[in-house]
Amino acid sequence: MAGKKRASSGGAADDELIASEETLIAKWNELSDERVKEQAGKYRNAIKDLESKGTDKGPSTFEYEEEVEVEVEEHEERGAGEGVQGGENVLGETEGGEAADDDDGLIEGNVDDIDPREWMVPPQCIPVHANVVTYDWSKIYNHTDFDVIMMDPPWQLATANPTRGVSLGYSQLTDLHIADLPLPKLQKNGFLFVWVINAKYQWCLEQFKKWGYEFVDEVVWVKVTNSRRMAKSHGFYLQHAKEVCLVGRRGNLPPGMADKAVGSDIIFAERRGQSQKPTEIYELIEELVPGGKYLEIFARKNNLRDYWVSVGNEVTGTGLPPEDEKAFDEHGVVP
């Protein structure tokens, strides 16, 4: 992922918050368990310090910071030989030396900087602030099931110590955690949309069968810049400019489903903030199953949408659910 620079006034709290989640995890993976707890504590204190500053300002004077994607920082961190392909260098210049258009950089307000008091939940959305691993899903599936479920799991990446990421504020989940989600109880008939990373593509296809789904399609989001050029990002062999969402079907077709193919399996849309998926995927689902019952798992506050039930530990923008805060304070980990 490209590095991020913010217009900031400096200070210890800002130093902790400037770094991206991936950078912090990579840094903490090299530390001992005691040092990880110490660094995680500093990070949480930095967030509380920033929240207190926002409270002092009051909602009428709150100012969010701008976030800029800067490819050159990633290049410096990973080395000149990795993730940079011929034809376009990290500064956005072509081989001929011509600079890319000025509006190719992503400059936008960071949704994480919005004061929670100013965050408006869509009037017809039902946000559920909960840890999806420990949440009592029977509160939902005993009363209804869903025509469409979509989720963007925080896939666990391969590292020297892959289990450590789970303890860092619910950053990553194991395959077992994801497999244990009670999808068959939440959906009898309908469609499942799952965003996958390359390393989990085959695992997800096999898990579809275990959940009782048939793989039927996929949606590809091609990320573009403001000038509609491909927004290439990190990658091990090739730079990535897309994300893939696998589509499975369980049981019968949901009632009210469109009687013909709709939309497209390719979405061209500008890249968003971290974990933020394009609005077009919601529009596509709502066109496929008009007036349906929609559920999003691992939702964040920037994904809330009318007529969706949105479950996740970040849907309010006010931090972790109380039970997760308590677990972290007592044991230094989130279940």
Side-chain angles (χ1 to χ4, degrees), residues 147-148 254-258 285-294 307-308:
D147 300 314
V148 180
M257 179 180 165
I285 289 172
E286 292 164 6
E287 183 181 2
L288 177 66
V289 186
K293 292 182 288 185
Y294 314 115
Y307 311 113
W308 285 70

Side-chain angles (χ1 to χ4, degrees), residues 266-304:
I266 303 291
I267 293 174
F268 290 92
E270 293 180 8
R271 56 189 176 185
R272 268 82 168 169
Q274 185 182 26
S275 298
Q276 187 175 8
K277 296 302 183 276
T279 303
E280 288 84 347
I281 188 66
Y282 299 92
E283 295 172 346
L284 179 64
I285 289 172
E286 292 164 6
E287 183 181 2
L288 177 66
V289 186
K293 292 182 288 185
Y294 314 115
L295 169 67
E296 181 171 11
I297 304 175
F298 303 109
R300 302 180 76 227
K301 66 178 183 287
N302 53 359
N303 297 57
L304 302 183

Side-chain angles (χ1 to χ4, degrees), residues 94-107:
T94 63
E95 289 181 328
E98 296 178 356
D101 295 341
D102 292 338
D103 63 346
D104 278 352
L106 178 65
I107 302 177

